[in-house]
Amino acid sequence: MNTRPEDGLQHNHFVPLNWLDGIVVIVINLMWGLNMVAIKMATNLVGPITAAFLRQAIVMIVCASALRIVPGRMRSLLLLGVLTGGLFYVIVGYSLALAENLAALAIASQLGAPLSILLGVIVLKEQIGWWRIIGIALAFLGVAVLVFEPGGSGDLDAIALTAVGSCVWAVGSLLQRNLAGVPVLTIYAWMGLVGALVLLPINIWQEADGLVRLADMPLRHLGWVAFSAIGSTLIGQGGMSWLLQRHPISTVAPLTLLSPIVAVASSSYYFHTSLSAHMIIGGIIALAGVAVVTIRSAWRHDNSGQQNSGQMTT
C-alpha cells in the first residue's frame, strides 16, 4: 500500500526542476514501487508479523539519533506509531500473505489517498470540490472492478484487508496534520520505536518461531526487510521531503504517481502473475482517480496553504 509526508515548512523560494531532482524522483518511484515485492518476499521468508517487527526495528535503529520529545505533539506521535507503525503493518502483512496476485493489492492500496480526503470531510468538516469528488469515485470504482473480476475471488480476502489497511493509513494521515514542523526522521523514529513495541508481543504470540529462526537465516533473506525499511521508508520518504523543500507540492506530488505502476509491473514480472483485462481496466480507473485527487489536493495546498495529507507507503 504505498506516503508523501509534509515537511511542515512553508517555503517562499523554490527552484526549477533540474537533473538531480529527476534522479531523486526516479529513485523514489523505484523504492516505493519495488517495495511491494520486497515486503511479499520478506513475508514469505520470515512471516508477516516477524517481517513487520524487523522493519520497524531497523527504522528505529537508523533514526535513533533523531528520537526526541516533541512538546505538545507526543500524543499524536504515539498514536501514529500505534496505528501506522504497528496495526497498519499487521494488516498489510496478512494481506500480502493471503495474496496470490500482488498487482491487485498494489492497485487497492491506492485507496488510502481518497479515504484520507473523505475522513477530512467527515471529521474535520473540510470542503471538497467536484474534481476531487470525481477522483474519489473513480478510485473506488476501479477497486470495485477488481473485486468483481470473474474468477478473481481468490484475492478477495487480501483486497479486503488492504482496504482496511488503507482506512488505518487514512486515520494516520489525519494525525500527521498535527505534526507540521516535526522533522521527518523524528516522526519515523517514534513510528519505528512504538511500532516495534506494538509488534513484538504480537510477534511472540503469533510467530515466536520466526524470531528463533532468525539466528540461522541467511542474510540475503533479511535483505528484503532491510530494503523495505531503508529503501522505501527512509530513502523514499527522505527524498520526498528533500523535494518538498525545493518545489511546490503541486509540482512534486504528480511525479510520484508512477510508483503504483512500478509496483504492478514489478510484482507481475517477479512472481510471474498475469494481468487480466479486468485488472488493467480497474487499475487504470483507480489510478486515474488517485491522480485527480493527488493533483487537485496538491494544487489546493499550494494555493490556500492548507495542510495536505501525505502518502505513506507499505
Side-chain angles (χ1 to χ4, degrees):
M1 298 189 175
N2 324 22
T3 161
R4 303 174 183 83
E6 291 298 314
D7 62 358
L9 302 175
Q10 294 296 325
H11 300 281
N12 297 319
H13 302 287
F14 295 110
V15 298
L17 288 169
N18 58 31
W19 63 270
L20 181 58
D21 298 317
I23 292 175
V24 173
V25 168
I26 293 172
V27 170
I28 291 173
N29 280 292
L30 287 175
M31 293 298 101
W32 287 353
L34 296 175
N35 188 48
M36 183 69 73
V37 173
I39 296 181
K40 175 63 173 178
M41 288 300 299
T43 297
N44 290 346
L45 293 169
V46 303
I49 308 301
T50 303
F53 168 73
L54 290 174
R55 171 176 175 161
Q56 295 304 80
I58 292 173
V59 170
M60 175 188 65
I61 292 170
V62 173
C63 299
S65 62
L67 187 68
R68 57 180 56 88
I69 299 296
V70 184
R73 311 292 184 90
M74 291 310 301
R75 179 179 297 181
S76 295
L77 280 170
L78 293 176
L79 188 54
L80 183 66
V82 171
L83 292 177
T84 309
L87 180 60
F88 174 72
Y89 285 107
V90 173
I91 297 171
V92 167
Y94 281 121
S95 68
L96 287 169
L98 291 172
E100 297 177 4
N101 193 330
L102 291 191
L105 263 62
I107 296 168
S109 67
Q110 301 306 305
L111 285 177
L115 283 170
S116 69
I117 301 296
L118 287 179
L119 280 179
V121 173
I122 296 170
V123 177
L124 303 179
K125 309 301 180 183
E126 295 178 347
Q127 296 183 347
I128 58 174
W130 281 107
W131 274 111
R132 290 201 291 178
I133 292 174
I134 292 172
I136 291 170
L138 285 173
F140 280 98
L141 176 61
V143 174
V145 171
L146 295 179
V147 172
F148 294 106
E149 177 186 7
S153 58
D155 283 329
L156 186 57
D157 290 344
I159 292 175
L161 278 176
T162 300
V164 173
S166 296
C167 291
V168 174
W169 174 86
V171 175
S173 72
L174 292 186
L175 292 173
Q176 280 193 304
R177 300 188 185 198
N178 296 325
L179 299 175
V182 180
V184 173
L185 287 181
T186 298
I187 293 175
Y188 277 95
W190 281 107
M191 284 179 59
L193 174 60
V194 177
L197 292 176
V198 169
L199 291 166
L200 181 58
I202 301 175
N203 197 173
I204 295 173
W205 173 41
Q206 291 289 319
E207 298 175 7
D209 61 323
L211 292 175
V212 174
R213 288 187 291 106
L214 290 178
D216 300 321
M217 188 166 294
L219 286 178
R220 66 179 181 276
H221 289 180
L222 298 179
W224 294 107
V225 182
F227 176 88
S228 183
I230 297 174
S232 174
T233 302
L234 299 180
I235 295 178
Q237 298 295 350
M240 191 67 188
S241 178
W242 185 78
L243 287 175
L244 289 173
Q245 293 175 30
R246 294 164 53 81
H247 311 287
I249 190 173
S250 57
T251 299
V252 175
L255 298 177
T256 60
L257 288 172
L258 287 175
S259 60
I261 298 175
V262 174
V264 171
S266 61
S267 61
S268 296
Y269 174 80
Y270 193 87
F271 296 107
H272 305 289
T273 53
S274 60
L275 294 175
S276 66
H278 268 77
M279 193 172 296
I280 294 173
I281 294 172
I284 291 174
I285 295 173
L287 295 181
V290 171
V292 171
V293 168
T294 300
I295 294 170
R296 291 297 295 182
S297 296
W299 178 86
R300 187 178 184 219
H301 175 278
D302 285 338
N303 285 276
S304 68
Q306 177 180 332
Q307 286 296 320
N308 181 46
S309 60
Q311 178 193 5
M312 306 187 78
T313 59
T314 55

